[in-house]
Amino acid sequence: MYKHILLAVDGSENSNRAALETLKFVRSQTKITIVVVYEEDKQLTEEDKQSIIQPVANVFNQVNMKYNVLELIGEPGPSILEESEKGDYDIIVIGSRGLSGVQEMVLGSVSHKVAKRAHIPVLIVK
């Protein structure tokens, strides 16, 4: 089973679902790191940041599961990948943003970029 899970969240419904899916993989000794990446050009208040993290934290609090929160500044895809390479993670769990086919083709999605470049397994939750 996974010893250390990197859960990437962005405040979307799919990242909340990713937190619920993560519960299926945890055991009492599993470490969970919740990572949220804030883009430099976006000015967020503490209230804005809590609205992103709190729903996911509530998932783990309800089952008394310990977790760490890691807040990063930068571009989401590369920041998540960089953290996944620095830590002793076994898997990345990330929600899909649900871009349309055209949007994803033009813009690319964070989850797709992470899955394509990660050196550990990635679970994308829709």
mmCIF file of all heavy atoms in Angstrom, residues 46-82:
data_model
loop_
_atom_site.group_PDB
_atom_site.id
_atom_site.type_symbol
_atom_site.label_atom_id
_atom_site.label_comp_id
_atom_site.label_asym_id
_atom_site.label_seq_id
_atom_site.Cartn_x
_atom_site.Cartn_y
_atom_site.Cartn_z
ATOM 1 N N GLU A 46 -6.349 35.205 3.017
ATOM 2 C CA GLU A 46 -6.314 33.989 3.837
ATOM 3 C C GLU A 46 -7.648 33.259 3.749
ATOM 4 O O GLU A 46 -7.700 32.032 3.754
ATOM 5 C CB GLU A 46 -5.972 34.314 5.285
ATOM 6 C CG GLU A 46 -4.500 34.487 5.541
ATOM 7 C CD GLU A 46 -3.662 33.295 5.091
ATOM 8 O OE1 GLU A 46 -3.997 32.129 5.444
ATOM 9 O OE2 GLU A 46 -2.671 33.515 4.380
ATOM 10 N N GLU A 47 -8.729 34.017 3.663
ATOM 11 C CA GLU A 47 -10.067 33.413 3.529
ATOM 12 C C GLU A 47 -10.180 32.635 2.220
ATOM 13 O O GLU A 47 -10.732 31.536 2.187
ATOM 14 C CB GLU A 47 -11.127 34.510 3.592
ATOM 15 C CG GLU A 47 -12.545 33.978 3.674
ATOM 16 C CD GLU A 47 -13.548 35.108 3.836
ATOM 17 O OE1 GLU A 47 -13.511 35.784 4.885
ATOM 18 O OE2 GLU A 47 -14.369 35.294 2.912
ATOM 19 N N ASP A 48 -9.648 33.198 1.134
ATOM 20 C CA ASP A 48 -9.648 32.506 -0.158
ATOM 21 C C ASP A 48 -8.857 31.198 -0.065
ATOM 22 O O ASP A 48 -9.292 30.155 -0.563
ATOM 23 C CB ASP A 48 -9.015 33.374 -1.250
ATOM 24 C CG ASP A 48 -9.821 34.611 -1.589
ATOM 25 O OD1 ASP A 48 -11.053 34.605 -1.399
ATOM 26 O OD2 ASP A 48 -9.200 35.603 -2.042
ATOM 27 N N LYS A 49 -7.698 31.271 0.577
ATOM 28 C CA LYS A 49 -6.853 30.079 0.713
ATOM 29 C C LYS A 49 -7.557 29.008 1.548
ATOM 30 O O LYS A 49 -7.520 27.828 1.203
ATOM 31 C CB LYS A 49 -5.506 30.450 1.340
ATOM 32 C CG LYS A 49 -4.644 31.302 0.440
ATOM 33 C CD LYS A 49 -3.358 31.697 1.136
ATOM 34 C CE LYS A 49 -2.503 32.575 0.252
ATOM 35 N NZ LYS A 49 -1.236 32.949 0.906
ATOM 36 N N GLN A 50 -8.198 29.423 2.616
ATOM 37 C CA GLN A 50 -8.911 28.459 3.465
ATOM 38 C C GLN A 50 -10.077 27.820 2.719
ATOM 39 O O GLN A 50 -10.380 26.649 2.941
ATOM 40 C CB GLN A 50 -9.402 29.129 4.751
ATOM 41 C CG GLN A 50 -8.322 29.309 5.782
ATOM 42 C CD GLN A 50 -7.650 27.985 6.139
ATOM 43 O OE1 GLN A 50 -8.294 26.993 6.457
ATOM 44 N NE2 GLN A 50 -6.326 27.980 6.077
ATOM 45 N N SER A 51 -10.712 28.561 1.832
ATOM 46 C CA SER A 51 -11.835 27.988 1.071
ATOM 47 C C SER A 51 -11.356 26.899 0.114
ATOM 48 O O SER A 51 -12.135 26.035 -0.284
ATOM 49 C CB SER A 51 -12.593 29.078 0.311
ATOM 50 O OG SER A 51 -11.825 29.581 -0.768
ATOM 51 N N ILE A 52 -10.094 26.936 -0.247
ATOM 52 C CA ILE A 52 -9.513 25.888 -1.095
ATOM 53 C C ILE A 52 -9.143 24.671 -0.256
ATOM 54 O O ILE A 52 -9.438 23.532 -0.618
ATOM 55 C CB ILE A 52 -8.278 26.425 -1.845
ATOM 56 C CG1 ILE A 52 -8.688 27.507 -2.844
ATOM 57 C CG2 ILE A 52 -7.531 25.291 -2.555
ATOM 58 C CD1 ILE A 52 -7.525 28.264 -3.459
ATOM 59 N N ILE A 53 -8.505 24.897 0.863
ATOM 60 C CA ILE A 53 -7.960 23.815 1.676
ATOM 61 C C ILE A 53 -8.996 23.169 2.591
ATOM 62 O O ILE A 53 -9.009 21.944 2.761
ATOM 63 C CB ILE A 53 -6.772 24.337 2.516
ATOM 64 C CG1 ILE A 53 -5.646 24.787 1.589
ATOM 65 C CG2 ILE A 53 -6.272 23.279 3.488
ATOM 66 C CD1 ILE A 53 -4.562 25.573 2.274
ATOM 67 N N GLN A 54 -9.883 23.952 3.173
ATOM 68 C CA GLN A 54 -10.772 23.450 4.226
ATOM 69 C C GLN A 54 -11.663 22.280 3.812
ATOM 70 O O GLN A 54 -11.773 21.310 4.572
ATOM 71 C CB GLN A 54 -11.619 24.583 4.814
ATOM 72 C CG GLN A 54 -12.192 24.231 6.168
ATOM 73 C CD GLN A 54 -11.112 23.867 7.172
ATOM 74 O OE1 GLN A 54 -10.160 24.610 7.381
ATOM 75 N NE2 GLN A 54 -11.228 22.715 7.796
ATOM 76 N N PRO A 55 -12.311 22.304 2.639
ATOM 77 C CA PRO A 55 -13.146 21.144 2.281
ATOM 78 C C PRO A 55 -12.367 19.832 2.231
ATOM 79 O O PRO A 55 -12.862 18.783 2.645
ATOM 80 C CB PRO A 55 -13.696 21.500 0.900
ATOM 81 C CG PRO A 55 -13.631 22.991 0.842
ATOM 82 C CD PRO A 55 -12.415 23.366 1.640
ATOM 83 N N VAL A 56 -11.132 19.897 1.761
ATOM 84 C CA VAL A 56 -10.293 18.702 1.685
ATOM 85 C C VAL A 56 -9.831 18.303 3.082
ATOM 86 O O VAL A 56 -9.853 17.119 3.447
ATOM 87 C CB VAL A 56 -9.093 18.953 0.744
ATOM 88 C CG1 VAL A 56 -8.128 17.790 0.773
ATOM 89 C CG2 VAL A 56 -9.589 19.209 -0.665
ATOM 90 N N ALA A 57 -9.442 19.278 3.880
ATOM 91 C CA ALA A 57 -9.032 18.996 5.258
ATOM 92 C C ALA A 57 -10.175 18.350 6.034
ATOM 93 O O ALA A 57 -9.951 17.427 6.831
ATOM 94 C CB ALA A 57 -8.571 20.281 5.935
ATOM 95 N N ASN A 58 -11.397 18.808 5.794
ATOM 96 C CA ASN A 58 -12.563 18.242 6.483
ATOM 97 C C ASN A 58 -12.724 16.752 6.207
ATOM 98 O O ASN A 58 -13.137 15.993 7.088
ATOM 99 C CB ASN A 58 -13.840 18.977 6.085
ATOM 100 C CG ASN A 58 -13.916 20.373 6.666
ATOM 101 O OD1 ASN A 58 -13.205 20.713 7.610
ATOM 102 N ND2 ASN A 58 -14.770 21.190 6.085
ATOM 103 N N VAL A 59 -12.407 16.332 4.982
ATOM 104 C CA VAL A 59 -12.496 14.906 4.625
ATOM 105 C C VAL A 59 -11.628 14.079 5.565
ATOM 106 O O VAL A 59 -12.052 13.042 6.081
ATOM 107 C CB VAL A 59 -12.078 14.680 3.149
ATOM 108 C CG1 VAL A 59 -11.885 13.199 2.848
ATOM 109 C CG2 VAL A 59 -13.099 15.301 2.209
ATOM 110 N N PHE A 60 -10.410 14.538 5.811
ATOM 111 C CA PHE A 60 -9.479 13.796 6.657
ATOM 112 C C PHE A 60 -9.771 13.988 8.141
ATOM 113 O O PHE A 60 -9.595 13.069 8.937
ATOM 114 C CB PHE A 60 -8.042 14.165 6.313
ATOM 115 C CG PHE A 60 -7.703 13.823 4.895
ATOM 116 C CD1 PHE A 60 -7.502 14.816 3.958
ATOM 117 C CD2 PHE A 60 -7.634 12.503 4.482
ATOM 118 C CE1 PHE A 60 -7.220 14.502 2.638
ATOM 119 C CE2 PHE A 60 -7.353 12.171 3.168
ATOM 120 C CZ PHE A 60 -7.156 13.179 2.241
ATOM 121 N N ASN A 61 -10.225 15.182 8.506
ATOM 122 C CA ASN A 61 -10.580 15.435 9.910
ATOM 123 C C ASN A 61 -11.730 14.542 10.365
ATOM 124 O O ASN A 61 -11.753 14.090 11.510
ATOM 125 C CB ASN A 61 -10.952 16.907 10.118
ATOM 126 C CG ASN A 61 -9.764 17.830 9.980
ATOM 127 O OD1 ASN A 61 -8.620 17.421 10.145
ATOM 128 N ND2 ASN A 61 -10.022 19.091 9.673
ATOM 129 N N GLN A 62 -12.681 14.274 9.482
ATOM 130 C CA GLN A 62 -13.838 13.449 9.834
ATOM 131 C C GLN A 62 -13.452 12.022 10.189
ATOM 132 O O GLN A 62 -14.172 11.350 10.926
ATOM 133 C CB GLN A 62 -14.867 13.446 8.697
ATOM 134 C CG GLN A 62 -15.586 14.762 8.557
ATOM 135 C CD GLN A 62 -16.519 14.789 7.357
ATOM 136 O OE1 GLN A 62 -16.567 13.854 6.566
ATOM 137 N NE2 GLN A 62 -17.272 15.867 7.228
ATOM 138 N N VAL A 63 -12.333 11.556 9.671
ATOM 139 C CA VAL A 63 -11.891 10.186 9.974
ATOM 140 C C VAL A 63 -10.619 10.188 10.829
ATOM 141 O O VAL A 63 -9.926 9.178 10.907
ATOM 142 C CB VAL A 63 -11.683 9.354 8.681
ATOM 143 C CG1 VAL A 63 -12.986 9.149 7.948
ATOM 144 C CG2 VAL A 63 -10.638 9.992 7.779
ATOM 145 N N ASN A 64 -10.328 11.335 11.434
ATOM 146 C CA ASN A 64 -9.153 11.488 12.299
ATOM 147 C C ASN A 64 -7.848 11.079 11.624
ATOM 148 O O ASN A 64 -6.985 10.445 12.231
ATOM 149 C CB ASN A 64 -9.332 10.713 13.608
ATOM 150 C CG ASN A 64 -10.464 11.274 14.430
ATOM 151 O OD1 ASN A 64 -10.624 12.484 14.531
ATOM 152 N ND2 ASN A 64 -11.266 10.391 14.998
ATOM 153 N N MET A 65 -7.719 11.423 10.356
ATOM 154 C CA MET A 65 -6.506 11.122 9.591
ATOM 155 C C MET A 65 -5.599 12.344 9.605
ATOM 156 O O MET A 65 -6.033 13.449 9.279
ATOM 157 C CB MET A 65 -6.893 10.762 8.149
ATOM 158 C CG MET A 65 -5.778 10.277 7.305
ATOM 159 S SD MET A 65 -5.350 8.612 7.822
ATOM 160 C CE MET A 65 -3.746 8.452 7.112
ATOM 161 N N LYS A 66 -4.351 12.144 9.985
ATOM 162 C CA LYS A 66 -3.399 13.256 10.007
ATOM 163 C C LYS A 66 -2.916 13.564 8.590
ATOM 164 O O LYS A 66 -2.820 12.674 7.748
ATOM 165 C CB LYS A 66 -2.214 12.917 10.895
ATOM 166 C CG LYS A 66 -2.587 12.818 12.347
ATOM 167 C CD LYS A 66 -1.382 12.512 13.203
ATOM 168 C CE LYS A 66 -1.827 12.369 14.650
ATOM 169 N NZ LYS A 66 -0.751 12.012 15.524
ATOM 170 N N TYR A 67 -2.595 14.825 8.383
ATOM 171 C CA TYR A 67 -2.117 15.280 7.079
ATOM 172 C C TYR A 67 -1.268 16.520 7.279
ATOM 173 O O TYR A 67 -1.320 17.174 8.318
ATOM 174 C CB TYR A 67 -3.290 15.596 6.139
ATOM 175 C CG TYR A 67 -4.225 16.629 6.723
ATOM 176 C CD1 TYR A 67 -4.019 17.982 6.526
ATOM 177 C CD2 TYR A 67 -5.315 16.239 7.516
ATOM 178 C CE1 TYR A 67 -4.865 18.927 7.096
ATOM 179 C CE2 TYR A 67 -6.162 17.173 8.078
ATOM 180 C CZ TYR A 67 -5.925 18.518 7.859
ATOM 181 O OH TYR A 67 -6.753 19.446 8.427
ATOM 182 N N ASN A 68 -0.479 16.820 6.276
ATOM 183 C CA ASN A 68 0.298 18.062 6.244
ATOM 184 C C ASN A 68 -0.208 18.878 5.067
ATOM 185 O O ASN A 68 -0.603 18.309 4.041
ATOM 186 C CB ASN A 68 1.790 17.788 6.038
ATOM 187 C CG ASN A 68 2.391 17.056 7.202
ATOM 188 O OD1 ASN A 68 2.151 17.406 8.349
ATOM 189 N ND2 ASN A 68 3.159 16.013 6.913
ATOM 190 N N VAL A 69 -0.179 20.188 5.205
ATOM 191 C CA VAL A 69 -0.549 21.078 4.110
ATOM 192 C C VAL A 69 0.706 21.798 3.651
ATOM 193 O O VAL A 69 1.446 22.357 4.455
ATOM 194 C CB VAL A 69 -1.625 22.099 4.536
ATOM 195 C CG1 VAL A 69 -1.920 23.078 3.403
ATOM 196 C CG2 VAL A 69 -2.901 21.385 4.967
ATOM 197 N N LEU A 70 0.933 21.771 2.349
ATOM 198 C CA LEU A 70 2.076 22.432 1.747
ATOM 199 C C LEU A 70 1.538 23.453 0.746
ATOM 200 O O LEU A 70 0.859 23.090 -0.208
ATOM 201 C CB LEU A 70 2.959 21.399 1.046
ATOM 202 C CG LEU A 70 4.208 21.883 0.351
ATOM 203 C CD1 LEU A 70 5.151 22.569 1.349
ATOM 204 C CD2 LEU A 70 4.908 20.727 -0.319
ATOM 205 N N GLU A 71 1.806 24.725 0.995
ATOM 206 C CA GLU A 71 1.367 25.783 0.090
ATOM 207 C C GLU A 71 2.570 26.270 -0.708
ATOM 208 O O GLU A 71 3.588 26.651 -0.135
ATOM 209 C CB GLU A 71 0.758 26.939 0.885
ATOM 210 C CG GLU A 71 -0.498 26.520 1.633
ATOM 211 C CD GLU A 71 -1.064 27.633 2.490
ATOM 212 O OE1 GLU A 71 -0.404 27.981 3.494
ATOM 213 O OE2 GLU A 71 -2.137 28.139 2.145
ATOM 214 N N LEU A 72 2.433 26.238 -2.032
ATOM 215 C CA LEU A 72 3.524 26.642 -2.918
ATOM 216 C C LEU A 72 3.077 27.811 -3.792
ATOM 217 O O LEU A 72 1.884 27.973 -4.049
ATOM 218 C CB LEU A 72 3.940 25.473 -3.818
ATOM 219 C CG LEU A 72 4.356 24.179 -3.131
ATOM 220 C CD1 LEU A 72 4.607 23.089 -4.159
ATOM 221 C CD2 LEU A 72 5.594 24.410 -2.283
ATOM 222 N N ILE A 73 4.036 28.580 -4.265
ATOM 223 C CA ILE A 73 3.777 29.675 -5.191
ATOM 224 C C ILE A 73 4.454 29.316 -6.502
ATOM 225 O O ILE A 73 5.640 28.960 -6.522
ATOM 226 C CB ILE A 73 4.374 31.009 -4.678
ATOM 227 C CG1 ILE A 73 3.868 31.348 -3.281
ATOM 228 C CG2 ILE A 73 4.097 32.137 -5.674
ATOM 229 C CD1 ILE A 73 2.419 31.705 -3.204
ATOM 230 N N GLY A 74 3.697 29.404 -7.605
ATOM 231 C CA GLY A 74 4.285 29.105 -8.908
ATOM 232 C C GLY A 74 3.253 28.592 -9.875
ATOM 233 O O GLY A 74 2.043 28.725 -9.672
ATOM 234 N N GLU A 75 3.740 27.970 -10.927
ATOM 235 C CA GLU A 75 2.865 27.372 -11.922
ATOM 236 C C GLU A 75 2.475 25.980 -11.411
ATOM 237 O O GLU A 75 3.354 25.200 -11.008
ATOM 238 C CB GLU A 75 3.596 27.271 -13.257
ATOM 239 C CG GLU A 75 2.694 26.907 -14.399
ATOM 240 C CD GLU A 75 3.436 26.883 -15.725
ATOM 241 O OE1 GLU A 75 4.472 27.564 -15.859
ATOM 242 O OE2 GLU A 75 2.966 26.158 -16.617
ATOM 243 N N PRO A 76 1.175 25.659 -11.400
ATOM 244 C CA PRO A 76 0.727 24.418 -10.742
ATOM 245 C C PRO A 76 1.411 23.137 -11.221
ATOM 246 O O PRO A 76 1.949 22.390 -10.402
ATOM 247 C CB PRO A 76 -0.777 24.396 -11.017
ATOM 248 C CG PRO A 76 -1.138 25.833 -11.152
ATOM 249 C CD PRO A 76 0.041 26.471 -11.835
ATOM 250 N N GLY A 77 1.400 22.856 -12.512
ATOM 251 C CA GLY A 77 1.962 21.594 -12.996
ATOM 252 C C GLY A 77 3.412 21.387 -12.597
ATOM 253 O O GLY A 77 3.754 20.400 -11.940
ATOM 254 N N PRO A 78 4.294 22.303 -12.993
ATOM 255 C CA PRO A 78 5.711 22.144 -12.629
ATOM 256 C C PRO A 78 5.950 22.133 -11.116
ATOM 257 O O PRO A 78 6.814 21.402 -10.633
ATOM 258 C CB PRO A 78 6.379 23.357 -13.283
ATOM 259 C CG PRO A 78 5.488 23.702 -14.433
ATOM 260 C CD PRO A 78 4.090 23.398 -13.950
ATOM 261 N N SER A 79 5.177 22.910 -10.370
ATOM 262 C CA SER A 79 5.365 22.949 -8.910
ATOM 263 C C SER A 79 5.010 21.613 -8.273
ATOM 264 O O SER A 79 5.708 21.132 -7.381
ATOM 265 C CB SER A 79 4.519 24.064 -8.290
ATOM 266 O OG SER A 79 4.931 25.324 -8.765
ATOM 267 N N ILE A 80 3.924 21.005 -8.732
ATOM 268 C CA ILE A 80 3.511 19.697 -8.212
ATOM 269 C C ILE A 80 4.564 18.645 -8.569
ATOM 270 O O ILE A 80 4.950 17.824 -7.736
ATOM 271 C CB ILE A 80 2.114 19.308 -8.749
ATOM 272 C CG1 ILE A 80 1.051 20.252 -8.181
ATOM 273 C CG2 ILE A 80 1.791 17.847 -8.426
ATOM 274 C CD1 ILE A 80 -0.283 20.186 -8.896
ATOM 275 N N LEU A 81 5.027 18.686 -9.801
ATOM 276 C CA LEU A 81 6.050 17.727 -10.232
ATOM 277 C C LEU A 81 7.345 17.887 -9.450
ATOM 278 O O LEU A 81 7.945 16.896 -9.026
ATOM 279 C CB LEU A 81 6.318 17.877 -11.727
ATOM 280 C CG LEU A 81 5.206 17.363 -12.630
ATOM 281 C CD1 LEU A 81 5.395 17.880 -14.051
ATOM 282 C CD2 LEU A 81 5.145 15.846 -12.599
ATOM 283 N N GLU A 82 7.761 19.120 -9.245
ATOM 284 C CA GLU A 82 8.989 19.365 -8.490
ATOM 285 C C GLU A 82 8.869 18.825 -7.066
ATOM 286 O O GLU A 82 9.787 18.175 -6.558
ATOM 287 C CB GLU A 82 9.295 20.862 -8.452
ATOM 288 C CG GLU A 82 10.602 21.196 -7.800
ATOM 289 C CD GLU A 82 10.898 22.685 -7.828
ATOM 290 O OE1 GLU A 82 10.565 23.346 -8.829
ATOM 291 O OE2 GLU A 82 11.462 23.178 -6.839
#
